[in-house]
Each structure stands twice: as C-alpha cells, then as structure tokens.
Amino acid sequence: MLAPTTPGRPQPDSLWRALAADAPLSPGAPLARDLAVEVAVIGAGYSGLAAAYALQKRGVECVVLDANPVGWGASGRNGGVVSSKFRLSFPTIHKLHGLDTAKRMHRLAHEGVRVVESFVDEFRIDRARFEHTGSLRCAHTERALDAICAEADWVRTTLNDTSMTVQSRAEVERETGSKGFVGGVLSADAGTILPLEYVRGLARGMTARGVPIYESTPVLKMHRAAGDAHVTLVTPGGTVRAKQVIVATNAYSDLTSATSPYQRELVPFRSAMIATECLPADLDARLMVERRSYTETRRMMKWFRKVDGRMLFGGRDAFGKEGQMTGFDALQRAMVSLFPDLADVRIEYRWSGYVGMTFNSLPHVGRSDDATTFCLGYNGAGVAMASLLGQHAAALALGETPELSLLGAPGLRPVPFHSLRAPGVRLVAAWYQILDAIGA
Ligand SMILES: Cc1cc2nc3c(=O)[nH]c(=O)nc-3n(C[C@H](O)[C@H](O)[C@H](O)COP(=O)(O)OP(=O)(O)OC[C@H]3O[C@@H](n4cnc5c(N)ncnc54)[C@H](O)[C@@H]3O)c2cc1C
C-alpha cells in the first residue's frame, strides 16, 4: 500500500507512453488545501472521468482525485480494443436470466461503444485515433468455431443483430496472415483506440469545463462522523468534504486502505502486452491487413492488433506481478507460434497492468452506503464499458435510477475466501493452460 507521502508514480513505460511523448499533459498539481464539494470522484481513469463528465453535465460541482497521473491505471495501459460484449455471452445470459435481460444487456454493451464515439467527437480526441474497424474473434479449434458461430447465429436470429458474421478459415488466414485458426466471427460494432490518448483527452476535456483533477493525491482515509451528512476524504495535502463519493479505482483499489474494501469485490488478474519494432514492409503488408483488433478463443486468451506498423500482442498472465519481467517471453512464444514470420522481429516495449475480474464475470455498479457509489470489475473489457458505467455511477450517486440490468449491485459483495484468491487464480489458470494445450 502507498505510504501517506508517496508521490504519484510516473506513467509506466509502454508504446502508449512513447506515442504520447510529443504532447505531454501538464502534470496536475496535488491537492494542497481543504475543499468542500457536492461529489468527490476517486480515480482518474475512464470510470472516474466518465463519472465527472456526467456530474458536470448536470451542473453538479465535483472534483477528481488520483494517487497517480491521469490514466496511470489500466486506462493508460490497455490494448485499446473497444468492444461491445461482456465476458458472459448473450446466449448464456439468456439461458441464465431470460430473454428480456439478454436484450437489455445487449443494448448496454452496444451503448458503451456509442459513448466512446461521442466522447471522441465531443472532446475532439483525434490523437486517440478511434476507428470503428470491427473485431475478429479467431477460433483455435473446430469446437471453438462451432461455439462462436452458434453465438453469432443466436444473436442474429433472436436479437435481430446482424453485426456478427462468420468467416472461413481462408478468410481469417488472408486477413490475419496466420495459419493458426480454423475460422472466426467478425463483430462489426467494435474498434480500436490509443488508450492513453483517450483517457488524457477526457481529462483535458474535463479540465476545460472547469472540473479540477488532482493528481499525486491518494485518498488515505474516508470517514463520516455520526450525524454528519458529509464524507471526509483525507489526502496528504488536504481534506475533501463531499456529500457523495464515487469510488472508481477498479483493480488498483488496494493502493490505500481507504479504497481497499473495493478490491475484495474483485480478483485482480495481471495482463501483459508486448509491442514489436516496426515490421519490415513485406510483413506489414501481409499481417492484419484490415487493421482490426483480433482475439482468439483459447481460455487463456491472447489478443493482437497493429499500431503504426508494429504488432501488439497481449494476454493474461496469472503467474507474474506488475512490474516483473515474467510472462513476456511466454507471450512472445505465443505470438511466434501464431505468426512464425515474427521469430526474428525485436520486441521494443513490454508492459503490464491489472484487470478486475468478478465472480459473476460482469461489471458491478452500486452503492456501498448512502453516500458512496462504486463501479468496477470490467473483466478486461472496460474501454467502452467504464466510459458508460462511470456515467451511470454518477447518476446513481445523485439518486437517479439508470438502466443497469445485471450490472446493478445491491452493495459490496466481497469475493468469498478473498485471501485465497491469488493461489486460486493460479490454479485455475494452470488448468486452463492444460486444456488449451490439449485443444479441449
Ligand atoms: C494490459 C491490459 C490490457 C487491457 N486491454 C483492454 C482492451 O483491449 N479493451 C478493453 O475494453 N479493456 C481492456 N483492459 C481493461 C481496461 O483497461 C479497464 O477495464 C479500464 O481501464 C478500467 O478503467 P477504470 O477507470 O475503472 O480503472 P483504472 O484505469 O485502473 O483507474 C483507477 C485509478 O484509481 C487510482 N486509485 C486507486 N486507488 C486510489 C486511491 N486510494 N486514491 C486515489 N486514487 C486511487 C489509480 O491510481 C488509477 O489511476 C485491459 C487492461 C489491462 C491492464
């Protein structure tokens, strides 16, 4: 956990940081006085900034506090895949919760992509290079292909959504340049973005509208005296008294004890990424010619895309810790086994971060008491969803009733046996790797 005086840590080294280097964001000053506001938002990632957007739009005075620079968490490190899905498939949601719920969840998933589009437009975040490219899910076995084709078919016939189309083995090979897949399903309502530019663009937009964002400002304590309608947030440089608090700290909630109870709602999972040097022209012309984002169907899923002629390759790594160098070699081996031509291509960037997985595989938005609202647990698909749910968290904090369907949480529901989560995650991941290896 952070010591009370720990200064904000710098943005981790990554391709995103290198691309943003020519337009550094002027570092926000830490909070250095006492404040009173209507709503205090903790966390300056997509969730927190989307919450601030919704508050500012309603004329509610708010402030955003982050222990680190804007986008230091997952929002500045992710793969930049903007997707319209949850980890739980829509047919599974239908089976478990009925058709009405599946329809509502489908609507929410696509709304997330609309929100990203509208933020990029409204705040003119051209530097984030959002492109509505679609996303291709590539099947590693015939069995996996049958399953994703059945899902596409169900979505088309039951939800009238024609955005998912099946691709043959030859089509996937032509498009990706890899012989490693037997076919795939293209989801047209998806895209790619530069994640750090996106979160910084949101922050610039909020600052321009007069919302103060204090970086290097960890919230160390949150307390409310009996009978006091306000919550007091204690930071190293001053206190913030607020009528409502929105906790938007997701998989980094354990930075301080003030927010660590929210970490118990999650199983944090390390996710790692590598980016190659610029590919030689012939390879660049052959690999991922449609420049979409790509995922595969293995349980320990890998994903890839191209940025400025570089291959980006990512995957979950349950065995390493953030900042460690473990996992990157395995990622490179997985990349080369799908793209043998990349065997001699140099890796120039390696980085990682934590994704917040939940027990029910869905994000959670709710109130932990009458003055505190939280949104977290995007299960590795938060670019679009956090941009939407941060706004819904703000609405909840103001007493509104946004449509949340299965995402609405009745309160904090800590993961059972939370202290055993790390060995548990490793055990499950090891089992998944065995199943993937034998093609089960
Ligand atoms: C490597 C990686 C790849 C990913 N790829 C994708 C992808 O391609 N597509 C996709 O949709 N999603 C992806 N994700 C997930 C996505 O990045 C997250 O779901 C999303 O960024 C969550 O945003 P957030 O604002 O909720 O949290 P974060 O961006 O993590 O922000 C939380 C913030 O809270 C701050 N904080 C924590 N505690 C305190 C405290 N006590 N006081 C003050 N501040 C505090 C932290 O400093 C941090 O800045 C990926 C994640 C990772 C790590």
Side-chain angles (χ1 to χ4, degrees):
M1 287 207 188
L2 282 179
T5 51
T6 306
R9 283 164 271 201
Q11 192 71 42
D13 207 6
S14 70
L15 173 62
W16 309 135
R17 186 174 140 184
L19 289 177
D22 62 326
L25 196 72
S26 51
L31 182 67
R33 63 193 174 97
D34 294 341
L35 284 180
V37 287
E38 291 278 313
V39 184
V41 179
I42 312 177
Y46 307 137
S47 298
L49 294 169
Y53 169 82
L55 295 165
Q56 191 276 336
K57 217 169 159 192
R58 289 163 173 80
V60 176
E61 191 194 14
C62 65
V63 66
V64 182
L65 311 169
D66 201 299
N68 295 297
V70 162
W72 175 88
S75 298
R77 316 176 186 209
N78 63 70
V81 176
V82 180
S83 59
S84 51
K85 62 179 176 59
F86 296 104
R87 192 148 154 259
L88 223 49
S89 74
F90 295 114
T92 306
I93 293 174
H94 170 230
K95 223 176 282 165
L96 296 175
H97 303 281
L99 187 56
D100 269 2
T101 305
K103 283 183 177 166
R104 275 192 234 123
M105 293 291 284
H106 179 260
R107 231 177 0 249
L108 282 168
H110 288 269
E111 264 170 40
V113 181
R114 303 288 82 74
V115 169
V116 175
E117 283 167 353
S118 70
F119 275 161
V120 166
D121 273 1
E122 189 169 348
F123 296 112
R124 299 174 191 225
I125 317 178
D126 301 344
R127 288 184 58 98
R129 297 195 233 156
F130 173 66
E131 286 186 81
H132 199 245
T133 52
S135 177
L136 181 60
R137 188 137 180 240
C138 307
H140 72 297
T141 60
E142 291 292 347
R143 194 162 147 192
L145 181 62
D146 288 348
I148 59 175
C149 289
E151 181 183 346
D153 194 44
W154 187 88
V155 166
R156 188 175 54 253
T157 51
T158 315
L159 301 180
N160 244 340
D161 173 356
T162 54
S163 67
M164 287 167 90
T165 46
V166 175
Q167 287 204 359
S168 66
R169 177 195 285 262
E171 284 170 315
V172 173
E173 184 179 337
R174 182 199 66 80
E175 171 162 350
T176 60
S178 172
K179 291 185 195 302
F181 304 111
V182 300
V185 167
L186 173 65
S187 297
D189 195 16
T192 55
I193 201 161
L194 301 188
L196 180 59
E197 294 288 2
Y198 174 50
V199 71
R200 286 183 169 195
L202 289 178
R204 268 193 296 270
M206 288 297 92
T207 306
R209 291 192 181 178
V211 175
I213 300 173
Y214 293 101
E215 299 175 286
S216 300
T217 302
V219 174
L220 303 171
K221 270 193 215 146
M222 272 196 270
H223 60 81
R224 181 152 63 144
D228 190 349
H230 293 82
V231 181
T232 301
L233 308 185
V234 179
T235 80
T239 59
V240 179
R241 267 170 67 74
K243 286 188 187 148
Q244 291 288 322
V245 176
I246 296 174
V247 180
T249 49
N250 200 34
Y252 290 91
S253 298
D254 63 353
L255 289 187
T256 75
S257 58
T259 44
S260 61
Y262 296 86
Q263 192 86 349
R264 289 199 277 277
E265 187 89 355
L266 299 170
V267 178
F269 215 102
R270 184 187 187 236
S271 202
M273 303 213 49
I274 52 178
T276 65
E277 62 184 326
C278 290
L279 301 179
D282 63 316
L283 269 182
D284 188 25
R286 236 174 336 110
L287 302 186
M288 291 172 281
V289 287
E290 304 291 345
R291 298 168 51 245
R292 307 186 210 276
S293 64
Y294 301 87
T295 57
E296 50 150 37
T297 44
R298 285 184 174 81
R299 287 172 184 80
M300 291 298 281
M301 183 188 77
K302 307 284 183 291
W303 66 89
F304 40 99
R305 61 180 281 204
K306 240 174 19 180
V307 174
D308 293 346
R310 298 170 191 274
M311 165 73 118
L312 252 76
F313 199 86
R316 308 256 154 86
D317 167 39
F319 303 100
K321 290 211 165 104
E322 195 176 297
Q324 286 181 344
M325 289 307 279
T326 60
F328 296 118
D329 288 348
L331 214 47
Q332 187 175 6
R333 280 196 298 277
M335 178 182 80
V336 171
S337 83
L338 285 175
F339 300 94
D341 290 339
L342 297 181
D344 297 323
V345 168
R346 214 159 25 88
I347 304 300
E348 280 194 352
Y349 297 94
R350 298 169 177 83
W351 71 97
S352 67
Y354 286 115
V355 297
M357 313 297 276
T358 56
F359 228 51
N360 68 354
S361 300
L362 292 170
H364 299 174
V365 190
R367 308 201 64 161
S368 43
D369 59 46
D370 62 348
T372 320
T373 307
F374 62 92
C375 53
L376 43 71
Y378 304 103
N379 289 273
V383 177
M385 215 15 77
S387 304
L388 175 70
L389 295 186
Q391 297 187 63
H392 287 347
L396 268 187
L398 298 178
E400 299 171 20
T401 50
E403 165 69 274
L404 293 171
S405 190
L406 295 176
L407 311 182
L412 276 183
R413 292 168 296 181
V415 170
F417 306 110
H418 192 262
S419 56
L420 299 177
R421 74 190 192 280
V425 162
R426 288 197 184 108
L427 216 63
V428 172
W431 175 236
Y432 281 179
Q433 278 177 359
I434 292 169
L435 292 178
D436 284 341
I438 62 174

